[in-house]
């Protein structure tokens, strides 16, 4: 009897270990070892150019998903486009900052009801750190609900929610409210709860840049683990238990990619980013990852909004790049959407 009990316990341990090693992609029904990617266009709704860049990246390129900044002037336009194209992935890019100098927006819950979330101009703060310093989790939750409410009033059922500038991931009390609202409405909340190999690299990127500038960087140098990834597995399990899908990894720094030189053409910039995505996919571990771009089909007047127009246009060109598309096909990379992620999650017991 003792022998059978011992064998049973050993089998249980093996089963638990095997389960722990499963990627979220496997849990969602994709084959073991598969690399599954959501190429995601942030900042839809920010401007007409952002909307056009998102549309072209998805309709003519490899991008599979997008999310809308509901407090911004062109949000309703993109929401209406998404409603007219119901197969399209369109989520909410929950916005708690207003980062540009002159082109800015207030909270949707109203200035009078958003104590701590607005600056002296009556707009949301420029920086994430300022939001954390001044805004309570209660006020942040009310703004999340206000942005979701506007989407629903427009007739849009968001395929997911994520966070502009990562504000909701920068402060645990905000993260908890974000998960709470997503679970309540049954809307997936973007969160990487798996291996996070790419995310750790992205989060450490500013430190690497600093060390290189100071001449202190050595290849293979061990860097501290970012705070958010220390608890990512815990929050991933919480989101999964709420019946929502979870990412294995997240890539966020394509906006920093630019080839060296002062006379770089848009085509060269776009091709450079496409090659960097090929390198990134090569380094990616099996699982489901989201790779973020900020595609915009810019014109000269975009410079009155932001100096990032060149990078955003290059993002769009990278999504249209035939070599990147061919690489994805030849390597057997699986492209997916948040809509498919949720459909798969519903089938898992």
């Amino acid at each position: 009897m003792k022998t059978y009990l011992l064998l049973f316990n050993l089998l249980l341990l093996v089963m638990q270990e095997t389960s722990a090693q499963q990627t979220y992609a496997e849990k969602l029904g994709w084959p073991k070892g598969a690399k599954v990617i959501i190429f995601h266009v942030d900042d839809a709704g920010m401007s007409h150019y952002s909307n056009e860049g998102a549309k072209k990246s998805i309709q003519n390129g490899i991008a599979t998903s997008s999310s809308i900044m509901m407090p911004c002037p062109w949000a309703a336009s993109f929401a209406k486009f998404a409603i007219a194209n119901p197969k399209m992935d369109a989520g909410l890019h929950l916005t708690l900052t207003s980062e540009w100098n002159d082109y800015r927006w207030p909270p949707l819950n109203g200035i009078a009801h958003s104590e701590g979330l607005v600056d002296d101009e009556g707009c949301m703060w420029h920086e994430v750190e300022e939001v954390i310093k001044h805004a309570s989790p209660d006020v942040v939750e009310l703004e999340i609900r206000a942005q979701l409410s506007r989407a629903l009033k427009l007739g849009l059922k968001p395929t997911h929610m994520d966070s502009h500038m990562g504000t909701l991931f920068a402060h645990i009390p905000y993260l908890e409210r974000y998960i709470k609202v997503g679970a309540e409405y049954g809307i997936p909340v973007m969160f990487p709860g798996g291996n996070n190999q790419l995310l750790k690299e992205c989060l450490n990127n500013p430190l690497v840049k600093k060390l290189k500038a100071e001449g202190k960087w050595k290849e293979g140098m061990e860097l501290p683990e970012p705070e958010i990834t220390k608890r990512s597995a815990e929050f991933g399990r919480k989101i999964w238990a709420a019946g929502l899908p979870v990412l294995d990894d997240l890539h966020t720094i394509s906006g920093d990619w630019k080839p060296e030189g002062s006379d770089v053409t848009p085509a060269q910039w776009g091709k450079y980013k496409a090659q960097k995505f090929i390198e990134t996919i090569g380094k990616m571990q099996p699982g489901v990852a989201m790779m973020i771009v900020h595609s915009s089909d810019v014109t000269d007047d975009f410079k009155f909004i932001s100096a990032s127009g060149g990078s955003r246009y290059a993002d769009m060109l990278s999504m249209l790049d035939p070599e990147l598309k061919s690489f994805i096909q030849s390597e057997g990379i699986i492209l997916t959407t948040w809509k498919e992620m949720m459909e798969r999650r519903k089938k898992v017991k």
Side-chain angles (χ1 to χ4, degrees), residues 180-191:
K180 172 188 172 184
V181 176
E184 179 182 327
Y185 281 85
I187 299 174
V189 288
M190 186 276 281
F191 188 81

Side-chain angles (χ1 to χ4, degrees), residues 40-340:
H40 189 274
V41 186
D42 280 4
D43 292 2
M46 190 189 82
S47 68
H48 169 71
Y49 317 107
S50 303
N51 288 359
E52 292 304 300
K55 292 174 189 177
K56 290 181 180 179
S57 295
I58 293 171
Q59 292 181 318
N60 305 323
I62 61 165
T64 57
S65 185
S66 61
S67 58
I68 309 168
M69 299 176 72
M70 294 310 298
C72 296
W74 282 83
S77 175
F78 195 86
K80 290 173 185 176
F81 174 80
I83 293 165
N85 294 272
K87 292 184 179 179
M88 183 180 175
D89 227 37
L92 300 188
H93 198 45
L94 295 170
T95 303
L96 299 167
T97 51
S98 181
E99 66 271 31
W100 310 124
N101 289 330
D102 299 312
Y103 181 67
R104 308 196 66 208
W105 42 84
L108 286 186
N109 198 42
I111 296 171
H113 305 289
S114 302
E115 183 180 355
L117 196 57
V118 295
D119 62 12
D120 292 340
E121 295 181 7
C123 293
M124 289 187 270
W125 298 98
H126 286 88
E127 301 293 339
V128 174
E129 292 76 17
E130 293 172 307
V131 181
I132 295 170
K133 182 179 178 181
H134 296 98
S136 72
D138 287 343
V139 168
V140 165
E141 182 181 335
L142 288 172
E143 182 58 25
I144 291 172
R145 291 180 181 277
Q147 293 181 24
L148 175 55
S149 176
R150 186 187 183 202
L152 294 174
K153 284 179 180 177
L154 284 166
L156 178 71
K157 175 65 188 296
T159 54
H160 65 289
M161 298 190 292
D162 56 56
S163 177
H164 182 56
M165 294 176 67
T167 312
L168 292 166
F169 307 130
H171 191 42
I172 296 298
Y174 294 174
L175 177 62
E176 290 171 337
R177 300 303 180 94
Y178 165 68
I179 295 170
K180 172 188 172 184
V181 176
E184 179 182 327
Y185 281 85
I187 299 174
V189 288
M190 186 276 281
F191 188 81
N195 61 72
N196 284 330
Q197 178 192 1
L198 298 177
L199 179 60
K200 289 172 187 175
E201 184 180 316
C202 291
L203 293 174
N204 276 321
N205 191 54
L207 177 57
V208 172
K209 280 185 175 180
K210 181 174 181 291
L211 291 172
K212 284 182 176 178
E214 295 172 351
K216 298 176 182 177
W217 172 252
K218 293 180 182 178
E219 213 56 54
M221 182 181 288
E222 190 171 337
L223 297 171
E225 182 175 1
E227 284 300 317
I228 187 62
T229 63
K230 290 179 181 177
R231 296 186 64 185
S232 61
E234 169 196 342
F235 283 104
R237 288 191 295 269
K238 183 175 181 179
I239 294 167
W240 183 264
L244 304 176
V246 181
L247 296 170
D248 288 293
D249 208 347
L250 177 66
H251 187 270
T252 64
I253 58 168
S254 68
D256 293 339
W257 290 342
K258 186 179 181 181
E260 292 184 6
S262 57
D263 195 23
V264 178
T265 67
Q268 289 170 333
W269 202 342
K271 176 62 69 175
Y272 178 80
K273 289 199 178 199
Q275 290 297 319
K276 292 290 284 184
F277 274 121
I278 289 173
E279 291 174 21
T280 301
I281 294 169
K283 291 188 292 184
M284 173 186 166
Q285 291 184 2
V288 56
M290 188 165 107
M291 298 190 181
I292 295 174
V293 295
H294 298 84
S295 299
S296 288
D297 191 6
V298 300
T299 59
D300 285 344
D301 53 353
F302 192 88
K303 65 178 177 286
F304 296 112
I305 294 176
S306 161
S308 64
S311 177
R312 290 169 182 262
Y313 186 59
D315 273 351
M316 187 186 78
L317 294 180
S318 74
M319 294 295 97
L320 303 175
D321 186 79
E323 188 176 349
L324 176 54
K325 183 177 181 179
S326 178
F327 173 81
I328 286 169
Q329 291 172 339
S330 65
E331 293 296 310
I333 306 300
I334 301 168
L335 299 182
T336 191
T337 63
W338 278 104
K339 189 174 290 186
E340 182 182 6

